Amino acid sequence: MGKKIAVLGAGSWGSVLASLLDENGSDVKLWSYNLGQVKEFNERHTNSKYIKNFTFSESIVATNDLAEAVDNVDYILFVVPTQATRSVAEQVAAILNKRNQQVNIIHASKGIEEKTYLRLSQVLSQEINPQNRKSISVLSGPSQAEDVVTKDITLVTVASDNQRAAKEIQDLFMNHYFRVYTSDDVIGVEIGAALKNIIALGAGALYGLGYKDNAKAALMTRGLAEISRLGTSFGANPLTFTGLSGVGDVIVTATSTNSRNWRAGNELGKGKSLKEVIENMGMVIEGIATTRAAYELSKKRGVEMPITSAIYHVLYDGADIKETINALMTREGRSEIE
């Protein structure tokens, strides 16, 4: 039997990563707060709300009991929505502390916590006591769950301050269709992962408004420039943003109709209100909260992020999308390399 792993969060990405780890020989428990979802998973081995037309292995056990999920595991993989990560981590920390249990922590969520502006590895390090964690790592990259489940070739990065842990996690996840690279740039990988959702919202909005490939390429390229500006202000390696968790993740999230951020932007571009978009999606749209966090963070740090600012004003101030795009296009000319 392989390593024992608790996967916390049974959305599309969490359940697909659980399937991948099970396929690779790990002993996997999948946690969800939703008892109905747990019952469906254990009885029918499906997760119909999130992954259509796929049957999961009977060896993956789902539970809504967090203590049961993390019992005696080697790794805990957080794949819960960004804004729920702290509350789940707080509960996990109490369980680990009570049992004097030590584990490796991984997260595969993409966002920045509102109000604190913290990356998720920072949130996890705050909540989970050092004596209960061997390492904290992040798994990220261009990886639509709907494609991974069909075994489409996928490349991602695992970043950690602990390179021994990164190598072990690389071995856990890697197989013939899922290739994992290692990195020590946790800041860059997490910033790229979070902020690409903002660019995906913008790309979807452009499409909804009727703009074409030139506009999309412009948005993605200049979006990457401002992601890099914010990331390097925290000490990230600029080369990270030319890699899988930078360019790669922007490409897939800003072009794929599987991306809920792209779909949300598309609906906004077609004239729907933010309230309608959120209600119709039925799943968390990470880019919405991240836009607010990134906008406020850019102001605090004095980093120019015009695209993020424009999307923020559309989402939170009710700015007209067409007028906002026009304002972006009529900004004063400048050098491309700043």
Side-chain angles (χ1 to χ4, degrees):
M1 183 62 71
K3 296 291 186 181
K4 295 186 70 174
I5 303 172
V7 179
L8 310 185
S12 54
W13 193 217
S15 58
V16 167
L17 287 177
S19 179
L20 173 75
L21 289 164
D22 172 80
E23 182 183 346
N24 287 358
S26 293
D27 180 4
V28 181
K29 281 191 177 176
L30 179 63
W31 174 82
S32 169
Y33 73 92
N34 186 320
L35 190 57
Q37 186 184 27
V38 168
K39 186 178 180 186
E40 178 194 345
F41 203 97
N42 288 333
E43 292 180 0
R44 294 163 50 194
H45 312 293
T46 58
N47 192 11
S48 56
K49 179 179 178 180
Y50 295 97
I51 297 293
K52 308 293 185 188
N53 305 314
F54 183 75
T55 302
F56 290 83
S57 166
E58 294 184 17
S59 58
I60 304 173
V61 176
T63 179
N64 75 326
D65 184 334
L66 201 52
E68 178 188 344
V70 304
D71 183 41
N72 199 33
V73 296
D74 303 295
Y75 295 86
I76 298 176
L77 171 60
F78 284 80
V79 206
V80 296
T82 296
Q83 308 310 325
T85 298
R86 186 178 293 276
S87 63
V88 175
E90 186 178 11
Q91 296 172 65
V92 168
I95 296 165
L96 296 179
N97 196 47
K98 184 177 180 181
R99 294 174 177 167
N100 196 27
Q101 184 178 349
Q102 191 177 58
V103 298
N104 290 285
I105 303 293
I106 316 165
H107 85 79
S109 302
K110 299 178 178 182
I112 296 173
E113 189 176 51
E114 289 190 288
K115 298 182 181 177
T116 67
Y117 315 118
L118 294 177
R119 294 174 287 106
L120 291 182
S121 64
Q122 294 174 303
V123 172
L124 292 167
S125 68
Q126 283 187 351
E127 293 298 329
I128 299 174
N129 294 329
Q131 64 266 29
N132 296 127
R133 51 179 164 87
K134 297 177 183 177
S135 63
I136 297 178
S137 306
V138 52
L139 184 80
S140 190
S143 46
Q144 294 290 343
E146 295 83 357
D147 293 339
V148 174
V149 85
T150 64
K151 296 181 169 50
D152 191 31
I153 292 172
T154 304
L155 279 66
V156 298
T157 298
V158 57
S160 180
D161 294 333
N162 182 330
Q163 285 304 286
R164 179 175 178 180
K167 182 64 175 70
E168 291 173 356
I169 294 164
Q170 180 184 48
D171 293 340
L172 276 179
F173 282 92
M174 197 145 106
N175 62 24
H176 69 280
Y177 64 89
F178 197 84
R179 183 170 181 81
V180 184
Y181 289 82
T182 61
S183 170
D184 61 2
D185 186 13
V186 176
I187 296 172
V189 168
E190 288 186 308
I191 291 287
L195 270 60
K196 56 88 184 180
N197 285 327
I198 303 171
I199 308 308
L201 282 169
L206 287 177
Y207 188 84
L209 286 163
Y211 290 95
K212 303 204 178 344
D213 290 342
N214 289 359
K216 178 172 62 180
L219 180 89
M220 292 166 64
T221 306
R222 296 310 299 162
L224 275 163
E226 63 184 56
I227 291 172
S228 181
R229 278 199 298 274
L230 186 64
T232 53
S233 80
F234 283 102
N237 184 339
L239 290 177
T240 297
F241 302 108
T242 69
L244 293 167
S245 57
V247 172
D249 218 351
V250 167
I251 289 171
V252 76
T253 314
T255 63
S256 173
T257 56
N258 285 329
S259 163
R260 65 188 71 162
N261 290 281
W262 185 93
R263 297 202 310 270
N266 183 38
E267 293 299 307
L268 289 168
K270 289 177 176 177
K272 290 189 178 176
S273 69
L274 180 58
K275 184 173 182 290
E276 287 178 300
V277 170
I278 293 171
E279 288 175 353
N280 292 340
M281 189 67 64
M283 306 179 200
V284 174
I285 307 164
E286 290 281 18
I288 292 172
T290 300
T291 297
R292 188 204 298 269
Y295 172 79
E296 293 174 352
L297 193 54
S298 71
K299 297 301 181 187
K300 286 173 69 73
R301 297 189 67 83
V303 175
E304 188 180 27
M305 300 182 71
I307 295 172
T308 298
S309 178
I311 294 170
Y312 170 86
H313 291 304
V314 168
L315 294 177
Y316 293 102
D317 296 336
D320 181 81
I321 294 181
K322 285 189 175 180
E323 290 178 6
T324 302
I325 292 170
N326 184 60
L328 274 174
M329 293 302 294
T330 54
R331 293 169 70 236
E332 182 183 350
R334 60 194 62 202
S335 169
E336 182 183 11
I337 309 300
E338 300 160 16

